[in-house]
Amino acid sequence: MINLSSLRENPELITQNILKKDPTFPVAELIKLDENLRLKLIEVEDLRFKRNEKAKSIKGPISAEERAEAGKITEALKEKEEVLDKLKIEFNNLYLTCPNLLEDDVPKGNKEANLVVKTVGQKPEFNFQLKNHLELNKLNNWFDLEAAAQMTGSQFVFYKSAAVNVIYALTRMMLKNNKNFGFEPVLPPYLVNEKSLENASNFPKFKDQVYKIQEEDLYLTPTAEVNLTNFYRNHLFAAQDLPIKMTAWTSCFRREAGAYGAQERGLIRIHQFEKVELYAICKPEDAKIEQERMLAAAENILQKLGLHYRISLLAAQDCSFASAKTFDIEVWMPGQNAYYEVSSCSNCTDFQARRTGLRFKDDKKNSLVYTLNCSALAIPRLMVALMETYQQADGSINLPSALLEEALW
């Protein structure tokens, strides 16, 4: 959540920032609801004070006149408390859908305004007819989409022998790499409750994207970011204990509601996918260096794999809801003739911390921490890049030695 004090003190400036990210968000309505809520709270507190003072002033048996007057105060208080409760719900519903404020250097606009800030390697060249990962799969038998569709539904995948080996090899490589960059491995539950999703800023904004376990009132995690955000819920850190750096490997589950074109077929966009996540909790002044550390960790994996990629600073409207500044790492997929995101590295400032109650104590003052997250990396899309980059003329796939060193068989 954004800082309401900032909105109250600088409504024009904060409004501009919010609308830069989400031009449709009703900031004026949020400001008005906040004002009405505070006024109504004053009225309620005033009546509670009058009721208490009235009760103190009565000595001995209560007269009919005093009883009537007390009854009027009680009835008025009840009516205003009902209005206050409704206002709180209305305000919170809107407040929780207000996006995080952007850092000043985030470009205006949408995807078309994303700024490429770094390119590593060259697009591979081939002297034979390229195949995409679906065509390569027919020759190499890495995965089965039809079997998964029969067993579960569309946009799920059944991985087979060689692909399973690649998945575990990639995971081992990533976790070891992330550990070398100072991120401690954790293995969280895959099920999370509604409060956890709200704390991580997925709810209520993206409720339609998450799978729910109806009988348990639990949800399949859409990303380990949710789990790691809630690991230290309502915690007060000592300043010297920061930063906290964690990495986690989980399957992620997303409904991916909406229509997608043929360019996102196969492993490009699926409902269940494996991903290794980086997460940092730090003091505000350390956020920039922690974001750079995360990017370096994710890049190091791609460099070991010899893949061509670029890093883009996302424009305002392409930044995620909770992010103040995001860099995407996009890997080149020759068979798709396009770059695809395999990592999104975001500084969420104190947006999640305010929801989650994450603070640190420094100089006898409690302040909100900053949280950051980064994929390192999303595995199915990385597999597509590996298949298409390292394909041979006969359709076989000659994987890089750094990955083969991590293979289980």
Side-chain angles (χ1 to χ4, degrees), residues 54 62-75:
K54 187 67 179 175
I62 184 171
S63 67
E65 184 180 349
E66 289 173 326
R67 183 178 287 107
E69 188 177 350
K72 287 181 181 179
I73 295 174
T74 300
E75 186 62 29

Side-chain angles (χ1 to χ4, degrees), residues 236-275:
L236 178 63
F237 297 94
Q240 63 268 24
D241 292 336
L242 296 176
I244 301 291
K245 300 191 290 290
M246 297 176 282
T247 184
W249 167 44
T250 64
S251 290
C252 304
F253 305 85
R254 298 182 190 176
R255 294 184 61 232
E256 298 288 7
Y260 299 97
Q263 72 274 15
E264 297 195 336
R265 58 187 176 169
L267 302 183
I268 301 294
R269 188 177 294 275
I270 50 181
H271 293 307
Q272 176 186 332
F273 60 96
E274 287 60 51
K275 178 163 66 76

Side-chain angles (χ1 to χ4, degrees), residues 10 18 35 39 44 69 97 176 206 242 271 303 382 396:
N10 301 288
I18 293 171
E35 291 174 350
L39 288 172
V44 168
E69 188 177 350
T97 62
K176 287 165 65 175
F206 305 107
L242 296 176
H271 293 307
Q303 290 169 10
L382 193 56
S396 62

